[in-house]
Every structure is written in C-alpha cells, then in structure tokens.
Amino acid sequence: MSKVLVVDDDLDMLSLVRAALEKDGHLIDTEADATAVQPARCQQYDLLLLDVMMPGEDGFSLCRRIRAEVDCPILFLTAKAEDAALVQGFGLGADDYIKKPFSLAELRARVNAHLRREVRQPTHTLSRGGVRFDMQAKAAIAGEHTLPFTRGEYAICEHLALHAGQVFTKEQLYEAVFGFEAEGDPSAVAEHIKNIRAKLKADAISPIETVWGVGYKWRKNSVL
C-alpha cells in the first residue's frame, strides 16, 4: 500500500483518479490548489501526480519548487504532448507523463509500474517524528534549531528514520552506522540512544521506541 498525492484544479478529475487508484489499495490524498503544496508535506508520499495546466501555479512551477526536497516519482497529467513541453517537464525532474485523455487502466498501470521500481532512498531532506534531516549537511533540525548530535548520534537517527517502523538490534545499528570493520562495542549504541533521547527531550520529541529484547525502531506513525 502506497501513499499518493494528486494535485489538480479539476475536482471531477481528482475524484476519478482517487477512485481508480484506491482500487489498487493505495492511500490517496488530493489537492486542488498547487500553492498549498509544501515540500515537507510531499515527503510523506510515495508518488506525486501533478496536473500541468492549473491556475495560480501550474504543475511545472510546482515541480520546480519541490523537486530538490522530494525524492519520490513525479508524474504529470497533461494534455500538452509537444516535444518542448516534454523536455521542459523532464528537465524539471519529472519521471513520466500521462497524456490526457487517458484510460483508467493506463493510469493504474503507469502508477503501479513506478511504485514497483521505486527503490530510491531520500537524498535531500527527510521529515520524521518532528525531526527534519538535512541529509547533505548531515544535520537534524527540530523546530527552528539544529540538534546538537554527534556524528554517530546523527547517523543512528538518520538510519532509523529512513527505515521507520523497522526494528534493528544494537549489532545491526552498529554495523549500519560504523561499518563491519569498525573497532568498538555494539553495546555503545545503547548509550548513543540514551544521549539522543536526552537531546530530543527538550523539544518534547520521542520518536525512538525500545523493543524490549530485540532493539530499537523509529515509530512509523511519526511522519511529520
């Protein structure tokens, strides 16, 4: 089950697309106003469907505004099939076009094909559990301030957040963060987790859960 955001000013089109994709078990959110779509919101979705021709802000402009912070596939719904329009869209970071008018079978097939092969991890930013990760600067932000994590603490948080809901043992976390050949004790992970929790406490954030007898996980419902 994947989460998809559909942005189109045509309310009938939104209802049609929602009904079609829900048949495949996807969770569908819709938005009629492109200007209301912010990058942080988009990070919770597995795929975005954007209409190209919308009043106020069109699909090309929206894609340009959010692409640097959104790693999921972006597909355009468009009646514009000229080569120049296609080149422009792909240049902005679009993954595909679905030309209007389209059949619902084609829509479902194209969306599901992209979701099946979508294996990219976020590379720019990620928001989970009240923490925003700048994955290029290797910084974690809560509210308006940067959390004072050490390099190891940041790496543990980023790894857990990237795999929200998955439980990792201390050994698995140690290997993922410090490498198989690192010289040290995996039990140190418990101390890192303790320090992380203390630094998050000031912001009333507690996204890391202890699974007793197993390890730790980032709560999956801690998305934004």
Side-chain angles (χ1 to χ4, degrees):
M1 182 171 60
S2 300
K3 293 191 69 175
V4 177
L5 175 64
V6 187
V7 184
D8 196 316
D9 62 303
D10 185 335
L11 299 184
D12 290 336
M13 180 62 71
L14 290 178
S15 297
L16 190 69
V17 172
R18 177 198 289 275
L21 297 181
E22 284 181 342
K23 289 182 179 179
D24 294 316
H26 303 311
L27 294 175
I28 310 301
D29 288 338
T30 60
E31 178 59 64
D33 180 6
T35 62
V37 179
Q38 298 302 318
R41 175 186 176 187
C42 294
Q43 290 166 8
Q44 64 181 294
Y45 295 104
D46 301 297
L47 183 142
L48 305 181
L49 278 170
L50 311 181
D51 185 37
V52 170
M53 300 182 70
M54 293 184 286
E57 183 175 27
D58 64 24
F60 288 155
S61 176
L62 174 58
C63 182
R64 182 186 299 109
R65 181 164 59 83
I66 66 175
R67 191 30 137 178
E69 298 183 53
V70 175
D71 288 278
C72 72
I74 295 178
L75 280 61
F76 282 128
L77 303 174
T78 181
K80 300 174 65 174
E82 299 88 354
D83 288 345
L86 297 177
V87 170
Q88 180 182 3
F90 286 125
L92 293 171
D95 293 88
D96 203 356
Y97 274 84
I98 302 177
K99 183 183 176 183
K100 295 180 180 179
F102 51 81
S103 70
L104 296 182
E106 179 192 3
L107 171 70
R108 292 169 63 185
R110 299 278 281 277
V111 167
N112 288 326
H114 280 279
L115 289 170
R116 280 195 303 271
R117 64 174 174 258
E118 176 53 27
V119 296
R120 292 177 295 187
Q121 290 283 20
T123 58
H124 299 290
T125 65
L126 175 73
S127 293
R128 290 286 188 271
V131 180
R132 182 167 61 86
F133 296 89
D134 183 332
M135 300 171 72
Q136 295 181 331
K138 296 301 178 185
I141 299 97
E144 299 299 321
H145 66 95
T146 301
L147 294 162
F149 287 154
T150 65
R151 197 161 103 184
E153 291 165 1
Y154 172 86
I156 288 171
C157 285
E158 182 187 281
H159 186 76
L160 287 172
L162 278 169
H163 303 88
Q166 184 176 342
V167 180
F168 293 91
T169 65
K170 291 192 294 289
E171 291 75 18
Q172 288 172 327
L173 278 174
Y174 189 84
E175 290 173 358
V177 171
F178 300 106
F180 288 99
E181 299 180 359
E183 295 182 3
D185 186 350
S187 64
V189 168
E191 191 63 28
H192 284 303
I193 295 289
K194 178 182 176 182
N195 292 335
I196 290 166
R197 285 172 167 161
K199 293 173 182 179
L200 291 172
K201 188 175 181 180
D203 293 282
I205 299 172
S206 182
I208 298 177
E209 178 180 339
T210 299
V211 180
W212 295 108
V214 184
Y216 305 95
K217 71 176 182 179
W218 197 278
R219 292 187 177 90
K220 193 167 186 177
N221 61 350
S222 298
V223 176
L224 290 177

